Amino acid sequence: MALSRTGRLVLAALLALPAAAAATPATAAPATHTAAHGFGAAHRFGHGARYDGGVWGGYVAQGNGFQSVSGSWTMPAVQCNTTNDLFAPWVGIDGYGSQTVEQTGVQADCSSGSAVYSAWYEMYPAPPQYFSDPVDAGDSFTASVVNSGGSSYALQITDNTKGWTETTTQQLNGQNVSAEAVIESPSQSYPSFSRLDFSGVTVNGQVFDGYSPQAINSGPYTETALSNGSFAIVPA
C-alpha cells in the first residue's frame, strides 16, 4: 500500500534515528575532568641558579641520558579560591629544555567549585589521560616514568592508601634531557594548601640529590631544601 506524504515523512524520521545515534559518542568525557589546561613543558623565568614564576615548582635536574625517575608524595587537602584553580604534583622526564614531557601525577581541579582529585598521565604535547580510580586528599602516591628503550616509556602510578596501581606504556620521541619532581598549575592559578611532601625521589636509580637539581618556585609556593631525595612544597 502506498504511503501518504505524511507517512513517508514519519518513516524517514524513524529511519534517520539510528544514524543520529551512531554519530553520538558512546561515552562522554568524565564530568570530573573539566580542566581546560593540559600539563606540559616549563616556562622559565628569573635568573641565576633558580628559575621562579613559571608553571612548575619543585626540583628539576638537567643534562642528558635520563632514563628513569620515581618518587612519592602525599596529596594535600586544598581550598579552592576560584574555579580556575588547578594544581598537580607529578614526576617526569623532559620538558625543561625540550618540548616533550613524559609525566604522571595527581591533580586537584576546582572548576566545579570544589576540589575534585584524579590521577593522570601525559605524553605532552598530547593531552592528559585520566584514570578512573578513586583519589582523595591525604592519599599517598608513588609514581615512576621509565624510558624502556628508544621511544617507549612506561608510566606507573600507585595509590598506596587505596591500593590501586595503573601502568601504561606509551611512545614518544623524547630527548631525556631533564628529570623532575614538581608541582604545576597549567592555569597559573593555585588553590591553597598547607604542605606537600615529596620523598624517595630517584633518577636513574640514584638519589635525586646526586644530579644537583635546580629549585623552582611557582605561584605562592616554594620548596624546602632537598635532602636524600626528599623535600616539601610550602607557602612562600
Side-chain angles (χ1 to χ4, degrees), residues 20 27 47 54 70 109 161 199 203 220-221 223:
T27 57
H47 60 277
S70 65
D109 176 7
T161 303
S199 63
V203 173
Y221 295 100
E223 66 294 316

Side-chain angles (χ1 to χ4, degrees), residues 16-103:
L17 285 176
T24 303
T27 57
T32 55
H33 303 144
T34 55
H37 303 270
F39 306 98
H43 299 163
R44 303 201 306 185
F45 298 91
H47 60 277
R50 178 191 294 273
Y51 290 90
D52 296 340
V55 295
W56 290 8
Y59 283 94
V60 178
Q62 291 182 278
N64 55 67
F66 292 107
Q67 299 297 309
S68 68
V69 60
S70 65
S72 300
W73 67 87
T74 299
M75 189 66 177
V78 308
Q79 176 185 332
C80 296
N81 303 308
T82 75
T83 56
N84 199 40
D85 289 354
L86 177 64
F87 136 82
W90 54 266
V91 296
I93 296 173
D94 283 328
Y96 207 82
S98 63
Q99 294 304 308
T100 64
V101 197
E102 306 83 45
Q103 52 191 156

Side-chain angles (χ1 to χ4, degrees), residues 34-230:
T34 55
H37 303 270
F39 306 98
H43 299 163
R44 303 201 306 185
F45 298 91
H47 60 277
R50 178 191 294 273
Y51 290 90
D52 296 340
V55 295
W56 290 8
Y59 283 94
V60 178
Q62 291 182 278
N64 55 67
F66 292 107
Q67 299 297 309
S68 68
V69 60
S70 65
S72 300
W73 67 87
T74 299
M75 189 66 177
V78 308
Q79 176 185 332
C80 296
N81 303 308
T82 75
T83 56
N84 199 40
D85 289 354
L86 177 64
F87 136 82
W90 54 266
V91 296
I93 296 173
D94 283 328
Y96 207 82
S98 63
Q99 294 304 308
T100 64
V101 197
E102 306 83 45
Q103 52 191 156
T104 186
V106 179
Q107 73 171 20
D109 176 7
C110 292
S111 59
S112 65
S114 58
V116 175
Y117 301 91
S118 54
W120 54 276
Y121 75 89
E122 184 174 7
M123 303 295 286
Y124 181 84
Q129 302 297 312
Y130 295 92
F131 299 115
S132 60
D133 308 272
V135 173
D136 290 304
D139 286 2
S140 165
F141 292 90
T142 299
S144 63
V145 177
V146 179
N147 178 215
S148 49
S151 60
S152 181
Y153 291 84
L155 302 96
Q156 180 171 288
I157 186 165
T158 296
D159 187 324
N160 302 304
T161 303
K162 291 189 166 59
W164 58 257
T165 295
E166 293 284 358
T167 304
T168 183
T169 299
Q170 301 292 322
Q171 303 296 315
L172 188 66
N173 290 322
Q175 297 180 39
N176 302 337
V177 294
S178 67
E180 46 273 340
V182 293
I183 62 170
E184 180 181 356
S185 176
S187 64
Q188 300 188 52
S189 179
Y190 279 97
S192 299
F193 63 89
S194 59
R195 182 183 179 98
L196 184 149
D197 288 289
F198 277 98
S199 63
V201 181
T202 65
V203 173
N204 293 349
Q206 305 299 314
V207 176
F208 199 21
D209 312 38
Y211 289 84
S212 302
Q214 298 182 58
I216 314 172
N217 288 349
S218 184
Y221 295 100
T222 189
E223 66 294 316
T224 63
L226 178 66
S227 176
N228 198 31
S230 298

